[in-house]
Amino acid sequence: QVQLVESGGGLVQAGGSLRLSCAASGRPFSNYDMAWFRQVPGKEREFVAAISWNGALTNYADSVKGRFTISRDNAKNTVYLQMNSLKPEDTAVYYCAATPFPNDHANARSYDYWGQGTQVTVSS
């Protein structure tokens, strides 16, 4: 079992920045590829970014490329999402997720463990 707890969400104006954190506990953090997804009411959970177990590989949704950066610190059991140049359409609940068996990183069904989510609201 892996427990994930997100933090860092909040209200920010368009063009601003936020950094989300996801702290993991339980099994060794470095065993897992990690990802961020987001969801708005009435829509499916949407892939945002993913990072391999050692941080060597990352991938991003087209909608956030060049604005968001995913990173991890295995010594701190934490994955981050730096979000810059935020837009109102980035407003969502953001979730971190973990999988020990990376397959399709952009598919939510690939992930076994999820946090409770943190709200990000971007005002225009």
Side-chain angles (χ1 to χ4, degrees):
Q1 280 283 61
V2 174
Q3 292 78 43
L4 303 172
V5 179
E6 301 97 335
S7 61
L11 173 64
V12 64
Q13 287 189 335
S17 298
L18 282 175
R19 188 175 82 154
L20 305 183
S21 300
C22 174
S25 60
R27 292 185 178 176
F29 181 64
S30 59
N31 287 359
Y32 296 86
D33 282 22
M34 303 293 295
W36 289 94
F37 286 76
R38 64 188 182 187
Q39 190 169 25
V40 297
K43 292 191 175 181
E44 291 188 357
R45 201 161 288 191
E46 175 191 24
F47 171 74
V48 176
I51 188 166
S52 61
W53 66 274
N54 61 356
L57 298 175
T58 58
N59 58 322
Y60 296 90
D62 287 344
S63 58
V64 307
K65 276 181 184 175
R67 300 189 298 121
F68 291 12
T69 303
I70 189 171
S71 61
R72 65 189 296 162
D73 185 338
N74 285 350
K76 296 183 178 179
N77 292 346
T78 302
V79 63
Y80 304 98
L81 185 68
Q82 178 66 44
M83 305 186 296
N84 299 329
S85 302
L86 282 160
K87 304 175 181 180
E89 51 264 43
D90 294 318
T91 295
V93 177
Y94 283 70
Y95 298 89
C96 71
T99 179
F101 302 114
N103 186 4
D104 178 358
H105 284 97
N107 189 334
R109 293 186 180 89
S110 297
Y111 295 86
D112 300 296
Y113 304 103
W114 293 85
Q116 82 290 348
T118 186
Q119 176 72 46
V120 171
T121 303
V122 184
S123 63
S124 56

